[in-house]
Amino acid sequence: MSRGWQGADPPQRPVLFVNPNSGGGNAARARLAERAREHGIDVLEVHPERPLATLVDEAVTGGADALGVAGGDGSLAVVAAAALAQRLPFVCLPAGTRNHFALDVGVDRSDLIGALDAFTDGVERQIDVAEVNGRLFLNNVSVGVYGDAVRQPTYRDAKARTLLATAAQVLGPSGAAAELELADDRGRPHRNPAVLLVSNNPYSFDPMRPPGTRPTLNSGRLGVVVLDSPPAGRSPGRTWTAQKLEVSAPSTVHAGVDGEAVELDPPLQFAIRPGALRVRVSARHAAM
């Protein structure tokens, strides 16, 4: 099968975690929980009194042999981390707002109910995941304020506009990137960038592809995008790939990790974990 997909036997004790409020209530409107139960899938709904991490621990202890989630990208990372730790297949249902990971992994974002077939008629492959200070992320970690970058007069050439188009699509909540320092693949230092974006596999900057998409999740490389705050006449942006990256800072860094606002203690240690996660999608989606 294309892109490395292989046939997979249906799980015997699949569990699906549903955030009914994600994506403005997409799961509730589609009656996803009811449809999942019709497929023989155990459904656990996330509520403030029953947080996702607690539900995941209960499901794993109860013998779940496949973990799926219908929610935003931040929820996906929590469930994927448990699936990776237990070496279980992971299923992503596109019930969030943007569903970036679903798009890149091959799920038809317009077919929420059809994505349930990953449990009953699915195919599987292994993809990379990334981590920062030991915390897993599927999409990216972002630091910096996109709006501040846009207003800088240095971001006017074609390359800078392409970088900004990608940043607009994928930057999560974060704070100013002041006093960060890192070195690129040429050994050139970058100090006090306006924006830093580190992704699980690099984003495409091909104008023929939609901005904010990744051609592959199996390159074994982090993608790094830096939008500097340069003096006149110096390049405003730089992209490269790496297996590891260290970013120093004098104090706690406010960042967006898969769309969730978090605080990270420096230095920030990024790494890629090639082929670490078993991911499963509907055979019909994989064939598209």
Side-chain angles (χ1 to χ4, degrees):
M1 183 161 300
S2 64
R3 295 195 296 174
W5 294 110
Q6 297 182 346
D9 293 331
Q12 299 302 305
R13 302 186 68 176
V15 176
L16 174 65
F17 306 94
V18 176
N19 183 344
N21 298 318
S22 182
N26 287 337
R29 285 193 296 273
R31 300 181 61 201
L32 180 65
E34 294 92 329
R35 298 294 296 274
R37 292 186 179 106
E38 292 171 3
H39 282 69
I41 302 165
D42 186 13
V43 177
L44 300 177
E45 293 197 4
V46 180
H47 298 289
E49 61 274 16
R50 298 194 74 198
L52 179 58
T54 299
L55 294 177
V56 172
D57 288 343
E58 292 175 358
V60 170
T61 301
D65 62 352
L67 302 178
V69 57
D73 286 334
S75 298
L76 265 62
V78 173
V79 179
L84 186 152
Q86 301 297 321
R87 300 182 180 179
L88 299 177
F90 171 70
V91 175
C92 163
L93 272 69
T97 301
R98 295 185 176 181
N99 302 302
H100 285 302
F101 178 77
L103 172 64
D104 291 340
V105 84
V107 176
D108 181 352
R109 295 185 296 176
S110 67
D111 187 18
L112 175 57
I113 298 302
L116 286 169
D117 290 346
F119 291 104
T120 56
D121 182 25
V123 291
E124 185 177 308
R125 66 186 173 109
Q126 292 185 257
I127 64 166
D128 306 340
V129 298
E131 59 184 34
V132 56
N133 293 4
R135 176 179 178 140
L136 178 145
F137 62 95
L138 296 174
N139 292 327
N140 64 66
V141 175
S142 59
V143 183
V145 181
Y146 170 75
D148 289 352
V150 170
R151 287 189 289 272
Q152 295 191 39
T154 49
Y155 301 119
R156 289 178 178 168
D157 63 33
K159 178 180 178 180
R161 286 197 299 270
T162 301
L163 297 181
L164 285 170
T166 294
Q169 291 292 320
V170 301
L171 278 179
S174 58
E179 300 186 73
L180 294 186
E181 184 171 345
L182 67 155
D184 63 26
D185 57 336
R186 297 175 181 172
R188 193 188 86 174
H190 295 260
R191 299 182 179 91
N192 305 327
V195 170
L196 168 66
L197 180 71
V198 182
S199 57
N200 171 31
N201 283 256
Y203 288 102
S204 172
F205 297 100
D206 183 342
M208 300 302 293
R209 293 181 62 91
T213 57
R214 292 166 289 180
T216 181
L217 293 174
N218 292 96
S219 73
R221 309 284 291 181
L222 299 167
V224 186
V225 177
V226 170
L227 295 176
D228 286 318
S229 301
R234 183 175 163 188
S235 174
R238 176 93 169 87
T239 67
W240 69 95
T241 66
Q243 292 179 312
K244 294 181 179 181
L245 180 71
E246 179 174 306
V247 180
S248 62
S251 60
T252 299
V253 176
H254 302 282
V257 180
D258 280 351
E260 300 290 324
V262 303
E263 293 187 349
L264 300 172
D265 293 327
L268 309 188
Q269 302 281 358
F270 293 90
I272 195 82
R273 298 181 62 180
L277 181 65
R278 297 170 58 191
V279 66
R280 189 172 293 190
V281 304
S282 161
R284 181 164 49 83
H285 288 181
M288 293 175 62

